[in-house]
């Protein structure tokens, strides 16, 4: 387990906490995602739920890497995952420009397959798989808070 | 294990691709390159065996969708068999690939391709 120290935004929470920072580099996303999955499996989270959290992690973090910064300097992204009695919570925090992924237009799924543009899917998947997704701009931070029901089959 | 792919060509122009592991940000570009090469060549169909694919992200879906579009332009078939439930669910949510491309088993996909080939080669025989 990476760390169990109570930290903001999970301050004072006794639930198992996995806390990790990663640089805004695409090549680091897969490895961090696999470690997140290992933590969830260790905590006894069911595979169906592990899949939803891991997929949401990848989609949200790749979005942050793509859109949060214009420069090529390294920037840190903070990931916190809490396993509670009824849900898993995933927080993604970055200090890039204000960017609310939830206001991005949903892909037009009514278009015929041939005419549909490739792309725009990631956030649509996250919104479909998570129970709740909340964006907050706090000072210079973007905070995205996601929750997932621990019951299999539920969002 | 991130992603293991296996490409074979059991019949001329019929490519059997098995995907084992994760189709994610790390692994999708390699598969994309390989599929574009196949789609650019002499191809009648690409059949994916998804039995051991246990993870797919939006980038992985885009790679499959791109291959689907490239193949359809050439009137070649795109077939997928044995999807794990979580993969099926995400593909359903994405609505990127038509349901008729999805088969319950590799055998079913192969039989479908054979039947389509017979129809193309001898339309009257196939109908009788």
């Amino acid at each position: 387990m990476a760390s169990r120290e109570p930290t903001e935004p999970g301050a004072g929470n006794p639930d198992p906490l996995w806390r990790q920072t990663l640089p805004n580099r695409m090549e680091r996303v897969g490895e961090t995602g696999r470690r997140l999955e290992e933590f969830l499996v260790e905590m006894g989270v069911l595979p169906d739920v592990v899949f939803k959290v891991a997929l949401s992690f990848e989609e949200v973090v790749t979005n942050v890497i793509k859109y949060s910064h214009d420069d090529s300097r390294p920037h840190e992204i903070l990931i916190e995952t809490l396993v509670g009695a009824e849900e898993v919570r995933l927080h993604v925090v970055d200090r890039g420009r204000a960017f609310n992924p939830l206001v991005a237009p949903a892909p037009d799924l009514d278009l015929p397959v041939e005419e549909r543009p490739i792309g725009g899917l990631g956030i649509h998947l996250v919104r479909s798989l998570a129970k709740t997704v909340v964006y907050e701009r706090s000072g210079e931070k973007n905070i995205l808070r996601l929750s997932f029901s621990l019951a299999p089959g539920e969002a | 294990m991130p992603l293991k792919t296996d490409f074979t060509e059991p019949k001329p122009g019929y490519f059997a691709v098995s995907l084992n592991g994760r189709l994610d940000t790390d692994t999708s570009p390699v598969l994309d390159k390989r599929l574009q090469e196949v789609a650019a060549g002499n191809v009648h169909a690409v059949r994916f065996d998804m039995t051991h694919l246990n993870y797919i992200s939006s980038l992985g879906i885009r790679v499959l969708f791109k291959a689907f579009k490239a193949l359809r332009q050439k009137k070649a078939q795109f077939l997928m068999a044995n999807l794990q439930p979580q993969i099926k669910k995400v593909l359903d949510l994405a609505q990127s690939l038509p349901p008729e491309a999805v088969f319950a088993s590799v055998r079913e996909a192969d039989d479908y391709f054979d039947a389509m080939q017979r129809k193309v080669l001898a339309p009257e025989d196939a109908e009788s």
Side-chain angles (χ1 to χ4, degrees):
Chain A
M1 195 180 312
S3 165
R4 292 187 77 134
E5 288 169 38
T7 49
E8 206 270 334
N13 196 316
D15 293 331
L17 170 70
W18 186 85
R19 191 166 196 265
Q20 188 79 48
T21 54
L22 79 153
N24 58 334
R25 293 284 177 264
M26 284 296 180
E27 63 271 20
R28 296 294 300 278
V29 177
E31 170 210 341
T32 309
R34 288 193 293 278
R35 288 214 305 277
L36 169 60
E37 281 187 32
E38 282 165 16
F39 164 72
L40 294 171
V41 169
E42 252 178 55
M43 292 295 110
V45 177
L46 293 170
D48 181 42
V49 182
V50 173
F51 176 77
K52 288 177 189 174
V53 179
L55 178 58
S56 300
F57 161 82
E58 180 179 332
E59 303 298 349
V60 169
V61 170
T62 53
N63 244 322
V64 169
I65 294 172
K66 274 190 252 176
Y67 302 118
S68 265
H69 297 277
D70 291 323
D71 59 47
S72 56
R73 286 184 292 128
H75 299 277
E76 280 195 337
I77 303 166
L78 171 67
I79 311 299
E80 288 191 332
T81 308
L82 294 98
V83 181
E86 290 176 1
E87 61 181 26
V88 176
R89 282 189 279 153
L90 173 68
H91 300 159
V92 179
V93 184
D94 73 273
R95 290 177 173 273
R97 78 164 75 108
F99 173 70
N100 180 357
L102 304 178
V103 299
D108 186 353
L109 298 176
D110 291 330
L111 280 176
V113 167
E114 282 82 355
E115 293 168 30
R116 206 171 308 151
I118 291 174
L121 265 181
I123 289 301
H124 167 67
L125 294 179
V126 172
R127 299 183 85 143
S128 307
L129 295 173
K131 187 165 83 175
T132 58
V133 189
V134 178
Y135 168 80
E136 184 195 334
R137 179 73 179 174
S138 170
E140 293 188 337
K141 288 188 262 186
N142 293 306
I143 305 175
L144 199 67
R145 299 170 203 271
L146 303 95
S147 73
F148 304 84
S149 171
L150 279 172
E154 283 180 31
Chain B
M1 176 188 48
L3 180 74
K4 190 170 167 284
T5 59
D6 183 39
F7 281 69
T8 58
E9 194 177 352
K11 296 168 209 169
Y14 187 71
F15 290 85
V17 181
S18 71
L19 302 178
N20 190 329
R22 302 165 61 89
L23 195 46
D24 60 14
T25 303
D26 286 352
T27 59
S28 294
V30 178
L31 180 68
D32 184 33
K33 188 162 175 285
R34 191 73 211 276
L35 287 175
Q36 293 306 310
E37 285 166 9
V38 168
N42 180 22
V43 57
H44 302 302
V46 178
R47 185 265 284 148
F48 294 90
D49 180 357
M50 314 278 266
T51 310
H52 301 292
L53 185 73
N54 48 43
Y55 179 94
I56 191 166
S57 70
S58 66
L59 193 60
I61 295 172
R62 275 174 221 152
V63 166
L64 294 178
F65 181 45
K66 203 170 140 193
F68 168 79
K69 281 173 120 175
L71 290 169
R72 182 170 273 205
Q73 269 185 353
K74 300 181 78 170
K75 309 243 182 290
Q77 309 263 354
F78 177 104
L79 314 165
M80 287 186 298
N82 285 350
L83 279 66
Q84 291 186 22
Q86 72 274 23
I87 306 293
K88 172 95 172 50
K89 179 174 183 174
V90 169
L91 289 178
D92 285 349
L93 286 171
Q95 294 180 33
S96 294
L97 298 159
E100 62 267 24
V102 179
F103 294 82
S105 68
V106 164
R107 173 80 186 271
E108 208 177 275
D110 289 348
D111 287 350
Y112 173 81
F113 175 74
D114 287 342
M116 293 301 285
Q117 284 297 95
R118 280 198 297 275
K119 229 174 181 173
V120 171
L121 296 173
E124 284 164 22
D125 288 358
E127 276 166 26
S128 63

